[in-house]
Amino acid sequence: MSILDINSQRQQPLLSARSRSGAYWNEYTETMPRDQLDKLHVKRLQALLRYAYDRVPFYHDLYQGVGMAPEDIRSLDDFNKYVPTIDKKDLVKAQAANPPWGDSIALDPDYFIYHFQTSGSTGTPLRIPFSLHTQIQYGEQWAYLYWGVGIRPHDSFYFAFPWGMYTGFWSAYWGVRCLGGTVISGGGLTSEQRLQQIELLKPTVLVSTPTYALYLAELAKELGIDTSSTAIQYTIHAGEPGPGIPTTRQAIESAWGAKAYELYGVGEVGAIAPGCPEQRGCHFSEDQGYATIVDSSGNPVGHGEVGENVVTSYIQMAQPVIKYRTHDLVRAHYDTCSCGRTWLLYEGGVLGRTDDMITIKGTNVYPAAIEYLLSDVPGLGSHYELHVTSGRLNDEVTVKVEPVSGISANSYLQMEKSLQQVIKAKIGVTIGVNVVNPGELPRYELKAKRFFDHRPKKA
Ligand SMILES: [Zn+2]
C-alpha cells in the first residue's frame, strides 16, 4: 500500500482481522453451546486465578486467608463455592491504604493508558486503571452490540456526552474504533449546539444516556426541530436503565424515529452485557467474563429467577475483578435466545439494586417490576417517579406518572385505577398511583432520578 493511497486508509477498523458473518460480530463465541462455554470458563478462570494470585497481593492475601490456592478450583461449582466474593468497598479500602492504586493492581502503572473512576454515587469513587489491551477489549464489547443490531463501518456516531472520568462512553468510543465507524464528539457543547451538529453532520447513531436522548428530543421540539426526521437510525444507551423499560424505549424510539438499544456496563468490570438485538434484555459477553446470579445467601438462582449479578472479568488485567458483587438485580435466562445467542440473558436488563428492594406484605418487589407495567396502561408516558416510605408493617409505594400529551384530565382517575389493577394482578401487591399533569415531574439532563427511597437508612 502506498502512503499516498488515501482510499485504502479510510476507516480502518482496529480488529479487521477477525472474521465475522451475518448477524454476529463473533458467531463462534456468541452461539457456542453451553457445555463448551462452561469448559472455556473453567480454563479461563483457572488462568485468571493463577494470574491474580501471583501478581496481586490483594488476591494472594484474600485466598490465603481462606486456605484456597488457584489449583484447588477445578470446576465452576468449585469456583462458585470456594472463591470468596469481593465488593467495591474492598478495592476502595485497598486504594485508600496506599494511594493511588493500593495493592490490587497487577501491572506497573507505566502500562496504564487511562485513569478512570466511578461516579461515587454509592460512596467513595473507585479509581480504575486501563491498559491498552484492556481498553481495546472493553471497546470490543461495544462492537458486539453495534454489529449485532445492524450498525456497520459506514455508520457515524454522535456522542452526546461530556466524557469526564467515566469509563462508559470512552469504551463506547473504542467500540467505534474496533468497528471502523466515524466518531463525532458532542463533548463540551450545549444541547442546542449538539442538535445543530446532528442536523448538519447527519450522524446515523446517537450515543447518550436514555434520559438525555429524551431531554434532547423535548428541547428540539421547543426549538422547532423534528428529531424523528434526522439521519439518526439507532440510539445506543448506557449509564442507567432505559431501553429495557418498555415506556422509556417507546418514547425514545418514537421521538427519534430510530431503534433504541442499551448496553449494561459496570465501569470497574467492563461493558459486560451488550443489548439483545431483539430487545429482550442484555447478553453477558461470555467470551470476556463469567457471571453468576445469586440469592441473598450467595447461592446461584435458577433459570428465570431474579438475583444479584456477581461477575468476573477476563479482560480487566490491570486491576483484576474476580467474583465481584455488582449489587445489580437481574433475571437469569440460560436458554438459547430467539436472537440465536447462547450467552446468558439478563431479561429486561438491570431490574434494580439490591439496596432498592421493596418488601410489601412479605413479597419482595424490585422497582423495575413496577416500571415495566406502566406501558400496560394506554396513555401513560415515560416520565415517572417511585416513592417508597416505611409503613407500620410494610414498605409503602406510590408511583407518580405523567400521561402522554393530549390526554384529558378526566381520564386520570381511570388510569390510576387501571394501573393499580395491573400491578395487583401481575405482582400481587397494592400500591398508590398518582397521575400528574404532563410536564409536572422534573426533567434531567444526564441521568434521571426516578427512585426516591424515604425509608430510614439501614445501619
Ligand atoms: Zn438475544
Side-chain angles (χ1 to χ4, degrees):
M1 179 183 88
S2 154
I3 199 163
L4 297 175
D5 183 357
I6 299 298
N7 282 331
S8 65
Q9 294 172 29
R10 185 173 167 267
Q11 295 184 349
Q12 291 288 343
L14 271 176
L15 300 175
S16 57
R18 188 186 287 278
S19 66
R20 56 186 62 89
S21 63
Y24 302 96
W25 175 256
N26 185 343
E27 186 170 7
Y28 178 68
T29 59
E30 287 175 84
T31 61
M32 188 178 274
R34 170 57 48 197
D35 59 332
Q36 283 183 43
L37 275 173
D38 285 350
K39 276 185 197 154
L40 189 64
H41 284 310
V42 173
K43 278 189 188 167
R44 289 189 167 172
L45 290 169
Q46 286 172 331
L48 176 64
L49 287 168
R50 171 52 64 194
Y51 175 85
Y53 191 81
D54 290 348
R55 300 178 73 110
V56 186
F58 172 87
Y59 284 107
H60 191 274
D61 296 350
L62 178 70
Y63 297 158
Q64 267 205 335
V66 296
M68 187 209 96
E71 56 272 21
D72 298 336
I73 305 305
R74 298 194 181 89
S75 66
L76 294 180
D77 270 354
D78 288 347
F79 181 78
N80 289 328
K81 265 188 208 155
Y82 303 123
V83 177
T85 53
I86 65 160
D87 212 322
K88 186 194 279 180
K89 63 180 184 316
D90 301 322
L91 296 176
V92 168
K93 198 170 147 196
Q95 291 183 348
N98 187 15
W101 298 112
D103 65 355
S104 58
I105 53 172
L107 296 175
D108 187 293
D110 275 357
Y111 288 91
F112 298 166
I113 66 155
Y114 280 118
H115 292 185
F116 292 118
Q117 65 182 45
T118 58
S119 65
S121 58
T122 54
T124 312
L126 173 68
R127 284 179 284 277
I128 310 167
F130 277 14
S131 66
L132 179 62
H133 170 264
T134 298
Q135 181 61 89
I136 292 173
Q137 297 289 306
Y138 270 54
E140 190 176 18
Q141 293 181 316
W142 284 89
Y144 278 109
L145 171 67
Y146 300 154
W147 189 275
V149 303
I151 300 171
R152 293 293 177 266
H154 58 74
D155 281 297
S156 52
F157 292 68
Y158 193 82
F159 279 77
F161 195 69
W163 301 100
M165 294 286 284
Y166 309 119
T167 59
F169 289 127
W170 284 98
S171 300
Y173 160 83
W174 280 84
V176 184
R177 294 279 79 93
C178 291
L179 180 77
T182 302
V183 170
I184 306 167
S185 169
L189 300 183
T190 63
S191 298
E192 211 171 326
Q193 288 168 328
R194 286 174 179 156
L195 285 166
Q196 286 163 359
Q197 279 200 321
I198 288 169
E199 285 202 297
L200 179 71
L201 300 171
K202 301 187 174 18
T204 51
V205 184
L206 173 70
V207 185
S208 72
T209 61
T211 294
Y212 191 71
L214 287 172
Y215 173 83
L216 209 53
E218 283 200 357
L219 178 72
K221 213 171 177 181
E222 286 169 26
L223 299 171
I225 297 169
D226 177 12
T227 44
S228 70
S229 63
T230 62
I232 299 288
Q233 295 171 41
Y234 307 89
T235 68
I236 299 287
H237 307 289
E240 59 178 350
I245 298 165
T247 45
T248 307
R249 180 169 73 233
Q250 285 153 15
I252 296 171
E253 291 190 335
S254 88
W256 287 93
K259 294 289 279 181
Y261 299 97
E262 68 180 323
L263 180 142
Y264 160 32
V266 180
E268 56 275 39
V269 185
I272 60 172
C276 169
E278 298 195 358
Q279 297 175 314
R280 293 187 58 200
C282 300
H283 286 287
F284 183 74
S285 54
E286 292 204 43
D287 61 350
Q288 297 181 327
Y290 179 66
T292 319
I293 300 163
V294 301
D295 62 22
S296 53
S297 313
N299 298 314
V301 302
H303 177 81
E305 290 176 18
V306 174
E308 180 183 347
N309 194 26
V310 174
V311 293
T312 295
S313 170
Y314 303 149
I315 62 172
Q316 178 39 296
M317 306 312 271
Q319 180 173 261
V321 273
I322 303 175
K323 274 190 92 169
Y324 187 76
R325 293 190 60 183
T326 62
H327 297 273
D328 292 326
L329 291 168
V330 291
R331 187 186 297 280
H333 265 255
Y334 289 98
D335 288 349
T336 301
C337 182
S338 49
C339 73
R341 282 163 186 79
T342 50
W343 287 355
L344 166 63
L345 174 72
Y346 303 127
E347 192 186 21
V350 175
L351 306 175
R353 302 273 302 163
T354 49
D355 327 322
D356 297 345
M357 188 72 91
I358 306 159
T359 308
I360 306 171
K361 292 195 178 157
T363 303
N364 283 340
V365 179
Y366 44 92
I370 296 169
E371 292 161 357
Y372 288 141
L373 297 176
L374 299 181
S375 60
D376 284 14
V377 176
L380 289 181
S382 61
H383 292 287
Y384 58 88
E385 290 180 353
L386 285 183
H387 292 264
V388 184
T389 52
S390 285
R392 206 161 56 83
L393 296 171
N394 292 292
D395 292 336
E396 287 173 3
V397 183
T398 303
V399 55
K400 286 186 184 179
V401 56
E402 288 181 12
V404 293
S405 56
I407 300 269
S408 157
N410 296 333
S411 322
Y412 290 3
L413 194 61
Q414 187 50 48
M415 290 164 81
E416 288 170 355
K417 278 187 188 159
S418 300
L419 183 59
Q420 275 185 324
Q421 283 163 0
V422 168
I423 291 170
K424 178 76 182 164
K426 297 215 171 154
I427 316 181
V429 296
T430 303
I431 71 162
V433 178
N434 185 5
V435 176
V436 300
N437 290 320
E440 196 169 317
L441 298 176
R443 300 298 194 256
Y444 299 87
E445 283 205 23
L446 210 55
K447 289 190 189 193
K449 182 160 174 55
R450 304 212 186 279
F451 185 71
F452 294 82
D453 195 342
H454 307 288
R455 294 172 292 186
K457 285 268 170 285
K458 287 172 204 143

